[in-house]
């Protein structure tokens, strides 16, 4: 699938290898933390070093705009509010565990950027503030949704939200790309 929000990349990576390194990195404590805490304490600080892994380095050598590290994100049952990523324009998200049709990503158009909003993030409702990694968006028109089954380039500069309808924890790897979504698509399709 290739549109203004995503580009599926089913043959880009050895998915079994990616699952192995992702699952050996994530801990039980990480999985047990609520989503907001997991993002703040683990995702942003416990990353996979691409340069120290021969296979990952070979991928980055082909696509040097890939970041030198990969983040791990887990999600409990619930919803991550619509947001745009502040620190990156796009990323290749890689399904690792429990990525099926009960977990979806929705993309929207337009919307209003807000400093904060009262909503659920995961399963915790409170006031959430935009920060260095994400900016929250309200009143966007949902335009497209999909369930990530294969590595997928995501346009993180468009409003998007993630929903997990079940009690199984979704785990993905997220490998940021240092360019626009359109340029990343062109680079990845012309390899």
């Amino acid at each position: 699938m290739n549109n203004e929000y995503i580009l599926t990349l089913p043959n880009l990576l050895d998915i079994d290898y990616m699952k192995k390194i992702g699952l050996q990195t994530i801990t039980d404590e990480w999985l047990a933390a609520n989503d907001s805490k997991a993002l703040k304490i683990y995702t942003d600080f416990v990353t996979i070093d691409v340069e120290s892994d021969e296979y990952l380095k070979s991928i980055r050598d082909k696509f040097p705009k890939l970041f030198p590290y990969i983040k791990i994100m887990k999600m409990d049952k619930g919803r991550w509010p619509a947001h745009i990523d502040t620190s990156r324009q796009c990323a290749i998200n890689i399904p690792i565990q429990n990525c099926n049709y009960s977990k979806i990503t929705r993309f929207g158009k337009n919307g209003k950027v807000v400093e904060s909003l009262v909503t659920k993030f995961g399963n915790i409702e409170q006031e959430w503030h935009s920060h260095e990694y994400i900016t929250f968006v309200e009143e966007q028109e949902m335009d497209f949704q999909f369930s990530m089954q294969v590595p997928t380039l995501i346009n993180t500069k468009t409003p998007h939200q993630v929903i997990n309808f079940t009690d199984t924890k979704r785990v993905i790897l997220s490998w940021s790309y240092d360019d626009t979504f359109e340029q990343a698509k062109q680079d990845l399709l012309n390899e």
Side-chain angles (χ1 to χ4, degrees), residues 1-2 6-16 18-19 91-101 103 105 146-154 170-173:
M1 184 172 295
N2 180 355
I6 69 167
L7 169 66
T8 54
L9 300 163
N11 302 313
L12 180 68
L13 300 164
D14 178 341
I15 194 69
D16 291 332
M18 300 305 290
K19 285 180 181 182
I92 299 171
N93 285 353
I94 305 151
I96 297 301
Q97 182 172 283
N98 297 322
C99 295
N100 55 43
Y101 294 106
K103 285 87 172 157
T105 304
F146 85 109
S147 176
M148 185 175 37
Q149 306 289 309
V150 299
T152 304
L153 179 70
I154 305 287
R170 172 186 186 249
V171 180
I172 66 162
L173 300 182

Short mmCIF file of all heavy atoms in Angstrom, two decimals, residues 1-2 6-16 18-19 91-101 103 105 146-154 170-173:
data_model
loop_
_atom_site.label_atom_id
_atom_site.label_comp_id
_atom_site.label_asym_id
_atom_site.label_seq_id
_atom_site.Cartn_x
_atom_site.Cartn_y
_atom_site.Cartn_z
N MET A 1 0.85 -1.17 0.00
CA MET A 1 0.00 0.00 0.00
C MET A 1 0.90 1.24 0.00
O MET A 1 1.89 1.30 0.71
CB MET A 1 -0.92 -0.01 1.22
CG MET A 1 -1.89 1.13 1.24
SD MET A 1 -3.12 1.00 2.53
CE MET A 1 -4.00 -0.44 1.99
N ASN A 2 0.51 2.20 -0.78
CA ASN A 2 1.29 3.43 -0.93
C ASN A 2 0.29 4.58 -1.08
O ASN A 2 -0.43 4.66 -2.05
CB ASN A 2 2.18 3.30 -2.17
CG ASN A 2 3.04 4.53 -2.39
OD1 ASN A 2 2.93 5.54 -1.71
ND2 ASN A 2 3.91 4.45 -3.38
N ILE A 6 1.09 6.22 4.39
CA ILE A 6 1.94 5.05 4.64
C ILE A 6 2.50 4.50 3.33
O ILE A 6 1.97 4.75 2.25
CB ILE A 6 1.17 3.92 5.36
CG1 ILE A 6 0.11 3.30 4.44
CG2 ILE A 6 0.59 4.39 6.67
CD1 ILE A 6 -0.46 1.99 4.98
N LEU A 7 3.58 3.74 3.49
CA LEU A 7 4.13 2.91 2.42
C LEU A 7 4.49 1.58 3.07
O LEU A 7 5.34 1.55 3.97
CB LEU A 7 5.38 3.54 1.80
CG LEU A 7 6.19 2.64 0.85
CD1 LEU A 7 5.37 2.31 -0.40
CD2 LEU A 7 7.52 3.30 0.50
N THR A 8 3.81 0.50 2.69
CA THR A 8 4.15 -0.80 3.26
C THR A 8 5.43 -1.30 2.60
O THR A 8 5.66 -1.12 1.40
CB THR A 8 3.01 -1.82 3.10
OG1 THR A 8 2.63 -1.90 1.72
CG2 THR A 8 1.81 -1.43 3.94
N LEU A 9 6.27 -1.94 3.42
CA LEU A 9 7.59 -2.41 2.99
C LEU A 9 7.79 -3.87 3.41
O LEU A 9 8.65 -4.18 4.25
CB LEU A 9 8.68 -1.53 3.62
CG LEU A 9 8.60 -0.03 3.26
CD1 LEU A 9 9.42 0.80 4.23
CD2 LEU A 9 9.07 0.17 1.82
N PRO A 10 7.00 -4.78 2.85
CA PRO A 10 7.03 -6.17 3.32
C PRO A 10 8.36 -6.89 3.14
O PRO A 10 8.65 -7.84 3.86
CB PRO A 10 5.92 -6.85 2.51
CG PRO A 10 5.74 -5.98 1.31
CD PRO A 10 6.07 -4.59 1.74
N ASN A 11 9.20 -6.43 2.22
CA ASN A 11 10.45 -7.14 1.94
C ASN A 11 11.70 -6.38 2.35
O ASN A 11 12.81 -6.78 2.01
CB ASN A 11 10.52 -7.47 0.44
CG ASN A 11 9.34 -8.31 0.01
OD1 ASN A 11 9.00 -9.28 0.67
ND2 ASN A 11 8.70 -7.92 -1.07
N LEU A 12 11.54 -5.29 3.08
CA LEU A 12 12.70 -4.47 3.44
C LEU A 12 13.59 -5.12 4.49
O LEU A 12 14.81 -5.03 4.43
CB LEU A 12 12.24 -3.10 3.93
CG LEU A 12 13.35 -2.14 4.34
CD1 LEU A 12 14.16 -1.70 3.13
CD2 LEU A 12 12.77 -0.94 5.07
N LEU A 13 12.98 -5.77 5.48
CA LEU A 13 13.71 -6.26 6.64
C LEU A 13 13.43 -7.73 6.90
O LEU A 13 12.37 -8.24 6.54
CB LEU A 13 13.28 -5.46 7.88
CG LEU A 13 13.52 -3.96 7.84
CD1 LEU A 13 12.71 -3.26 8.92
CD2 LEU A 13 14.99 -3.66 7.99
N ASP A 14 14.36 -8.38 7.59
CA ASP A 14 14.15 -9.74 8.08
C ASP A 14 13.31 -9.61 9.35
O ASP A 14 13.83 -9.28 10.42
CB ASP A 14 15.50 -10.40 8.35
CG ASP A 14 15.39 -11.80 8.92
OD1 ASP A 14 14.31 -12.17 9.44
OD2 ASP A 14 16.39 -12.53 8.85
N ILE A 15 12.03 -9.84 9.23
CA ILE A 15 11.11 -9.58 10.34
C ILE A 15 11.39 -10.49 11.54
O ILE A 15 11.27 -10.06 12.69
CB ILE A 15 9.63 -9.66 9.89
CG1 ILE A 15 8.70 -9.05 10.95
CG2 ILE A 15 9.22 -11.07 9.56
CD1 ILE A 15 8.80 -7.58 11.11
N ASP A 16 11.80 -11.72 11.30
CA ASP A 16 12.13 -12.62 12.43
C ASP A 16 13.32 -12.09 13.21
O ASP A 16 13.35 -12.14 14.45
CB ASP A 16 12.40 -14.04 11.93
CG ASP A 16 11.15 -14.71 11.42
OD1 ASP A 16 10.05 -14.38 11.90
OD2 ASP A 16 11.26 -15.59 10.54
N MET A 18 14.23 -8.92 13.39
CA MET A 18 13.78 -7.70 14.07
C MET A 18 12.98 -8.05 15.33
O MET A 18 13.15 -7.41 16.37
CB MET A 18 12.96 -6.83 13.13
CG MET A 18 13.70 -6.38 11.87
SD MET A 18 15.27 -5.52 12.18
CE MET A 18 14.69 -3.99 12.86
N LYS A 19 12.12 -9.06 15.23
CA LYS A 19 11.36 -9.51 16.41
C LYS A 19 12.31 -9.98 17.51
O LYS A 19 12.13 -9.65 18.69
CB LYS A 19 10.41 -10.63 16.03
CG LYS A 19 9.20 -10.17 15.28
CD LYS A 19 8.28 -11.33 14.94
CE LYS A 19 7.08 -10.84 14.14
NZ LYS A 19 6.14 -11.90 13.83
N ALA A 91 8.88 7.58 9.89
CA ALA A 91 9.58 6.45 10.51
C ALA A 91 9.09 5.16 9.91
O ALA A 91 7.94 5.07 9.46
CB ALA A 91 9.33 6.45 12.02
N ILE A 92 9.96 4.17 9.92
CA ILE A 92 9.56 2.82 9.55
C ILE A 92 9.15 2.12 10.83
O ILE A 92 9.98 1.95 11.73
CB ILE A 92 10.70 2.05 8.85
CG1 ILE A 92 11.11 2.75 7.56
CG2 ILE A 92 10.26 0.61 8.57
CD1 ILE A 92 12.37 2.20 6.92
N ASN A 93 7.88 1.78 10.94
CA ASN A 93 7.39 1.04 12.10
C ASN A 93 7.35 -0.44 11.75
O ASN A 93 6.90 -0.82 10.67
CB ASN A 93 6.02 1.54 12.54
CG ASN A 93 6.12 2.87 13.26
OD1 ASN A 93 7.21 3.36 13.54
ND2 ASN A 93 4.99 3.46 13.56
N ILE A 94 7.83 -1.26 12.68
CA ILE A 94 8.03 -2.68 12.43
C ILE A 94 7.23 -3.48 13.46
O ILE A 94 7.47 -3.35 14.66
CB ILE A 94 9.53 -3.02 12.53
CG1 ILE A 94 10.34 -2.12 11.58
CG2 ILE A 94 9.77 -4.50 12.25
CD1 ILE A 94 11.75 -1.84 12.03
N PRO A 95 6.26 -4.29 13.02
CA PRO A 95 5.46 -5.07 13.98
C PRO A 95 6.29 -6.15 14.65
O PRO A 95 7.01 -6.89 13.99
CB PRO A 95 4.36 -5.67 13.10
CG PRO A 95 4.94 -5.73 11.73
CD PRO A 95 5.90 -4.58 11.64
N ILE A 96 6.20 -6.22 15.98
CA ILE A 96 7.00 -7.18 16.74
C ILE A 96 6.12 -8.18 17.48
O ILE A 96 6.40 -9.36 17.51
CB ILE A 96 7.91 -6.43 17.75
CG1 ILE A 96 8.90 -5.54 17.00
CG2 ILE A 96 8.63 -7.38 18.67
CD1 ILE A 96 9.80 -6.28 16.05
N GLN A 97 5.05 -7.69 18.09
CA GLN A 97 4.21 -8.58 18.89
C GLN A 97 2.77 -8.05 18.92
O GLN A 97 2.56 -6.85 19.11
CB GLN A 97 4.75 -8.66 20.32
CG GLN A 97 4.01 -9.59 21.24
CD GLN A 97 4.74 -9.73 22.56
OE1 GLN A 97 5.73 -10.42 22.66
NE2 GLN A 97 4.26 -9.03 23.57
N ASN A 98 1.82 -8.96 18.73
CA ASN A 98 0.38 -8.64 18.82
C ASN A 98 -0.03 -7.48 17.91
O ASN A 98 -0.82 -6.62 18.30
CB ASN A 98 -0.01 -8.34 20.27
CG ASN A 98 0.18 -9.53 21.16
OD1 ASN A 98 -0.07 -10.67 20.77
ND2 ASN A 98 0.65 -9.30 22.37
N CYS A 99 0.49 -7.49 16.71
CA CYS A 99 0.10 -6.49 15.71
C CYS A 99 -0.87 -7.18 14.77
O CYS A 99 -0.47 -7.95 13.91
CB CYS A 99 1.32 -5.96 14.97
SG CYS A 99 2.44 -5.05 16.05
N ASN A 100 -2.15 -6.91 14.98
CA ASN A 100 -3.17 -7.57 14.17
C ASN A 100 -4.33 -6.59 13.98
O ASN A 100 -4.20 -5.41 14.28
CB ASN A 100 -3.63 -8.87 14.84
CG ASN A 100 -4.11 -8.64 16.26
OD1 ASN A 100 -4.83 -7.68 16.55
ND2 ASN A 100 -3.71 -9.50 17.17
N TYR A 101 -5.43 -7.08 13.48
CA TYR A 101 -6.55 -6.20 13.13
C TYR A 101 -7.25 -5.58 14.33
O TYR A 101 -8.11 -4.73 14.15
CB TYR A 101 -7.54 -6.94 12.23
CG TYR A 101 -6.92 -7.27 10.90
CD1 TYR A 101 -6.53 -8.57 10.59
CD2 TYR A 101 -6.69 -6.27 9.96
CE1 TYR A 101 -5.92 -8.86 9.37
CE2 TYR A 101 -6.09 -6.55 8.75
CZ TYR A 101 -5.71 -7.84 8.45
OH TYR A 101 -5.11 -8.12 7.26
N LYS A 103 -5.61 -3.82 16.42
CA LYS A 103 -4.80 -2.63 16.67
C LYS A 103 -4.74 -1.84 15.38
O LYS A 103 -4.29 -2.33 14.35
CB LYS A 103 -3.38 -3.00 17.09
CG LYS A 103 -3.27 -3.53 18.51
CD LYS A 103 -3.50 -4.99 18.57
CE LYS A 103 -3.20 -5.54 19.95
NZ LYS A 103 -3.89 -6.79 20.18
N THR A 105 -4.10 2.09 13.29
CA THR A 105 -3.60 3.46 13.25
C THR A 105 -4.52 4.24 12.32
O THR A 105 -4.80 3.80 11.22
CB THR A 105 -2.15 3.50 12.73
OG1 THR A 105 -1.33 2.66 13.55
CG2 THR A 105 -1.60 4.93 12.76
N PHE A 146 -5.42 1.76 9.09
CA PHE A 146 -4.87 0.47 8.70
C PHE A 146 -4.36 -0.25 9.95
O PHE A 146 -4.18 0.34 11.01
CB PHE A 146 -3.75 0.64 7.67
CG PHE A 146 -2.39 0.92 8.25
CD1 PHE A 146 -1.40 -0.04 8.21
CD2 PHE A 146 -2.11 2.14 8.85
CE1 PHE A 146 -0.15 0.21 8.76
CE2 PHE A 146 -0.87 2.40 9.40
CZ PHE A 146 0.12 1.42 9.35
N SER A 147 -4.13 -1.54 9.78
CA SER A 147 -3.54 -2.37 10.82
C SER A 147 -2.17 -2.80 10.34
O SER A 147 -2.05 -3.41 9.28
CB SER A 147 -4.43 -3.59 11.08
OG SER A 147 -3.83 -4.44 12.02
N MET A 148 -1.13 -2.47 11.09
CA MET A 148 0.23 -2.75 10.66
C MET A 148 0.55 -4.24 10.78
O MET A 148 0.61 -4.78 11.87
CB MET A 148 1.23 -1.93 11.47
CG MET A 148 2.64 -2.09 10.98
SD MET A 148 3.83 -1.04 11.81
CE MET A 148 3.26 -1.04 13.47
N GLN A 149 0.77 -4.88 9.64
CA GLN A 149 1.11 -6.30 9.59
C GLN A 149 2.54 -6.52 9.10
O GLN A 149 3.10 -7.60 9.30
CB GLN A 149 0.15 -7.03 8.65
CG GLN A 149 -1.31 -6.83 8.97
CD GLN A 149 -1.74 -7.52 10.23
OE1 GLN A 149 -1.48 -8.69 10.40
NE2 GLN A 149 -2.39 -6.80 11.11
N VAL A 150 3.10 -5.53 8.41
CA VAL A 150 4.46 -5.61 7.85
C VAL A 150 5.16 -4.29 8.15
O VAL A 150 4.51 -3.29 8.48
CB VAL A 150 4.43 -5.86 6.32
CG1 VAL A 150 3.75 -7.20 6.00
CG2 VAL A 150 3.77 -4.72 5.58
N PRO A 151 6.50 -4.25 8.03
CA PRO A 151 7.18 -2.96 8.20
C PRO A 151 6.54 -1.91 7.29
O PRO A 151 6.24 -2.16 6.12
CB PRO A 151 8.62 -3.27 7.77
CG PRO A 151 8.78 -4.73 8.09
CD PRO A 151 7.45 -5.34 7.77
N THR A 152 6.32 -0.72 7.87
CA THR A 152 5.55 0.31 7.17
C THR A 152 6.15 1.68 7.45
O THR A 152 6.33 2.05 8.61
CB THR A 152 4.08 0.28 7.64
OG1 THR A 152 3.55 -1.03 7.44
CG2 THR A 152 3.24 1.29 6.89
N LEU A 153 6.43 2.42 6.39
CA LEU A 153 6.85 3.80 6.53
C LEU A 153 5.61 4.63 6.86
O LEU A 153 4.60 4.54 6.17
CB LEU A 153 7.49 4.31 5.23
CG LEU A 153 7.96 5.76 5.24
CD1 LEU A 153 9.17 5.92 6.16
CD2 LEU A 153 8.28 6.23 3.82
N ILE A 154 5.70 5.42 7.92
CA ILE A 154 4.58 6.21 8.43
C ILE A 154 4.89 7.70 8.28
O ILE A 154 5.97 8.15 8.66
CB ILE A 154 4.35 5.92 9.94
CG1 ILE A 154 4.17 4.44 10.20
CG2 ILE A 154 3.22 6.74 10.50
CD1 ILE A 154 2.87 3.87 9.77
N ARG A 170 0.47 -4.40 22.28
CA ARG A 170 1.09 -4.23 20.96
C ARG A 170 2.52 -3.73 21.15
O ARG A 170 2.76 -2.79 21.91
CB ARG A 170 0.29 -3.21 20.15
CG ARG A 170 0.90 -2.78 18.83
CD ARG A 170 0.04 -1.65 18.27
NE ARG A 170 0.41 -1.24 16.95
CZ ARG A 170 0.97 -0.05 16.65
NH1 ARG A 170 1.24 0.81 17.63
NH2 ARG A 170 1.25 0.26 15.41
N VAL A 171 3.48 -4.35 20.46
CA VAL A 171 4.87 -3.92 20.53
C VAL A 171 5.38 -3.72 19.11
O VAL A 171 5.22 -4.59 18.25
CB VAL A 171 5.76 -4.95 21.26
CG1 VAL A 171 7.21 -4.47 21.31
CG2 VAL A 171 5.24 -5.24 22.66
N ILE A 172 5.96 -2.55 18.88
CA ILE A 172 6.57 -2.26 17.58
C ILE A 172 7.97 -1.69 17.78
O ILE A 172 8.30 -1.17 18.84
CB ILE A 172 5.74 -1.26 16.75
CG1 ILE A 172 5.71 0.12 17.42
CG2 ILE A 172 4.33 -1.78 16.49
CD1 ILE A 172 5.29 1.25 16.50
N LEU A 173 8.78 -1.77 16.73
CA LEU A 173 10.03 -1.02 16.65
C LEU A 173 9.75 0.18 15.77
O LEU A 173 8.97 0.09 14.81
CB LEU A 173 11.13 -1.86 16.03
CG LEU A 173 11.51 -3.16 16.74
CD1 LEU A 173 12.67 -3.83 16.01
CD2 LEU A 173 11.88 -2.90 18.18
#
